[in-house]
Amino acid sequence: MSATVHVDLPGRAYDIMIGPGTLGQAGHKIAAMGGRRHVCILTDKNVAALHLDALQDVLRDAGLTSEALLLPAGESTKCWAQLERSVEWLLSQKVERGDIVVAFGGGVIGDLAGFAAAILRRGVRFVQIPTSLLAQVDSSVGGKTGINSPSGKNLIGAFHQPSLVLADTNLLSTLTPRDFLAGYGEVVKYGLLGDAAFFDWLEAEGPALARGDMDARVRAVTRSCQMKADIVQRDETEQGDRALLNLGHTFCHALEAATGYSDRLLHGEGVAIGCALAFELSARMGLCSQESPSRVRAHLRDMGMKVDIRDITGDLPDAAGLLDLMGQDKKVLDGKLRFILARGIGDAFITSDVPSDTVLKVLDDALKG
Ligand code: GLY
């Protein structure tokens, strides 16, 4: 089973090819895109050890030479120093305006490599070959690229759409269960924000999907990408609807900042906890029934995921401290926090009309348990 999702942006349209073995298409797809017969790959050391030979083999089979820069794995790679290193390396490889840069890795590599491609010679084309579930369903699609600042996550960046996304679902089998489930947090997000039937399906099929059912994996990645493509087509630069994709992220970014963007909390884990908190906040504000946050939490629990703030190990700031960290979020508009809340599962909306007292109470209750 495989699928293609088309992202129909004027002048910047591209395909997302999803399925087991799509990596094998990288050679002829990239060769057909023109440019020099030399491809520069940005990747990380972990991905390179597992999959770089396979990628370079298929490029070679299509008559392309390639060179790879192996960056350190982990969120701290999304920084000025590694961006500078990547851009200077691409220049040393003599990448020209018509060439293709390949981002081969998870969300960190995709964001960093995409940003390097966006600013190199005022923009070169790049192909995303996402290797994590999180990158396959979210970060490799839609053109958000960038790095983190000491002031906050993803505060430096550009919109730069890839020219092709190859989501090879076979690569997911090398993820640790923790990384896989972190990515699943973003999959659940799509059901919660706009497709109640998809959430129903995840409740039924999520455990099989986690165990490795390939058809279920392809279906989940495809539905997620289709939903993201629909939203990005409506609102590429997040003037409106695209913010729906940030369901759970206002809470998540505060928790990530509080844990120092460390292994204590992976981004997708923060998204899952953040989604549960967003539904809890929605219920407290009378927007949805208490059944909705209970269902969200039950499903995350069934999947063996982090559900509550208390599932994060170590010390955290108090509720006021977390609210303060939320104020650093990009989604602050005119000094007011913007939240994605829900009228029910599959029915999210964007609002700045959220009393801080209620947010504080939700956080305080979550911290105390
Ligand atoms: N990850 C959210 C977005 O791409 O807009």
Side-chain angles (χ1 to χ4, degrees):
M1 180 190 184
S2 60
T4 299
V5 172
H6 187 64
V7 184
D8 196 9
L9 291 167
R12 300 178 305 295
Y14 57 95
D15 283 338
I16 308 163
M17 301 180 65
I18 302 152
T22 56
L23 183 71
Q25 308 206 31
H28 73 266
K29 285 280 171 194
I30 292 173
M33 290 164 80
R36 276 185 315 154
R37 313 292 292 172
H38 182 69
V39 175
C40 289
I41 304 163
L42 292 170
T43 188
D44 73 37
K45 290 180 179 159
N46 295 347
V47 170
L50 291 165
H51 306 299
L52 184 58
D53 284 350
L55 173 59
Q56 293 194 295
D57 284 351
V58 296
L59 293 174
R60 197 175 303 113
D61 290 348
L64 300 169
T65 57
S66 65
E67 203 70 50
L69 178 65
L70 276 53
L71 296 160
E75 187 71 30
S76 58
T77 292
K78 270 175 62 171
C79 67
W80 285 114
Q82 298 295 349
L83 176 70
E84 181 181 5
R85 182 177 167 205
S86 302
V87 169
E88 292 298 337
W89 179 76
L90 292 169
L91 288 172
S92 75
Q93 291 288 314
K94 307 211 174 348
V95 173
E96 296 170 9
R97 277 298 284 278
D99 291 350
I100 303 290
V101 170
V102 172
F104 189 40
V108 167
I109 290 296
D111 285 6
L112 175 81
F115 190 36
I119 59 177
L120 188 80
R121 299 189 189 278
R122 299 199 177 86
V124 300
R125 294 175 299 168
F126 78 115
V127 170
Q128 289 268 20
I129 308 184
T131 56
S132 69
L133 181 58
L134 182 137
Q136 293 193 355
V137 298
D138 185 49
S139 59
S140 70
V141 175
K144 277 191 182 175
T145 71
I147 57 172
N148 300 327
S149 148
S151 302
K153 205 172 141 79
N154 295 330
L155 291 181
I156 303 143
F159 286 100
H160 186 53
Q161 297 294 338
S163 300
L164 173 71
V165 181
L166 294 173
D168 186 337
T169 46
N170 275 344
L171 304 186
L172 302 177
S173 61
T174 56
L175 297 176
T176 64
R178 186 180 177 197
D179 281 329
F180 185 88
L181 287 177
Y184 185 79
E186 297 276 5
V187 176
V188 172
K189 177 192 80 176
Y190 288 103
L192 295 178
L193 76 88
D195 188 345
F198 183 45
F199 184 77
D200 293 346
W201 181 81
L202 291 172
E203 283 181 320
E205 301 299 327
L209 186 158
R211 283 195 301 273
D213 180 323
M214 189 55 79
D215 282 354
R217 287 181 173 195
V218 173
R219 189 164 162 192
V221 174
T222 304
R223 182 63 192 133
S224 302
C225 288
Q226 186 62 63
M227 288 186 72
K228 181 147 189 184
D230 289 346
I231 291 175
V232 168
Q233 282 161 198
R234 290 205 297 278
D235 177 24
E236 183 183 6
T237 58
E238 202 168 311
Q239 307 303 308
D241 269 11
R242 184 165 180 164
L244 290 171
L245 296 170
N246 296 326
L247 176 63
H249 283 60
T250 307
F251 288 107
C252 169
H253 286 170
L255 294 170
E256 284 185 293
T259 49
Y261 303 105
S262 70
D263 255 14
R264 279 175 66 197
L265 184 72
L266 303 179
H267 176 67
E269 294 173 335
V271 171
I273 296 173
C275 284
L277 287 168
F279 270 80
E280 183 61 38
L281 179 58
S282 303
R284 299 267 182 112
M285 289 174 66
L287 295 164
C288 66
S289 70
Q290 187 58 47
E291 192 209 336
S292 296
S294 302
R295 245 181 104 188
V296 176
R297 293 157 57 86
H299 179 52
L300 298 177
R301 196 68 78 200
D302 280 353
M303 295 296 293
M305 296 170 69
K306 289 189 172 63
V307 180
D308 293 311
I309 292 184
R310 280 166 298 110
D311 294 331
I312 304 168
T313 53
D315 292 337
L316 286 171
D318 63 9
L322 286 175
L323 189 62
D324 205 40
L325 288 171
M326 286 183 180
Q328 298 292 334
D329 197 272
K330 282 196 302 319
K331 290 175 289 303
V332 174
L333 205 63
D334 295 333
K336 286 196 95 175
L337 274 174
R338 257 192 316 163
F339 281 89
I340 318 304
L341 299 181
R343 298 183 193 89
I345 285 172
D347 188 7
F349 66 100
I350 305 156
T351 179
S352 298
D353 198 11
V354 180
S356 334
D357 284 359
T358 316
V359 182
L360 270 175
K361 183 85 178 89
V362 166
L363 288 170
D364 200 43
D365 290 350
L367 284 160
K368 288 184 179 139

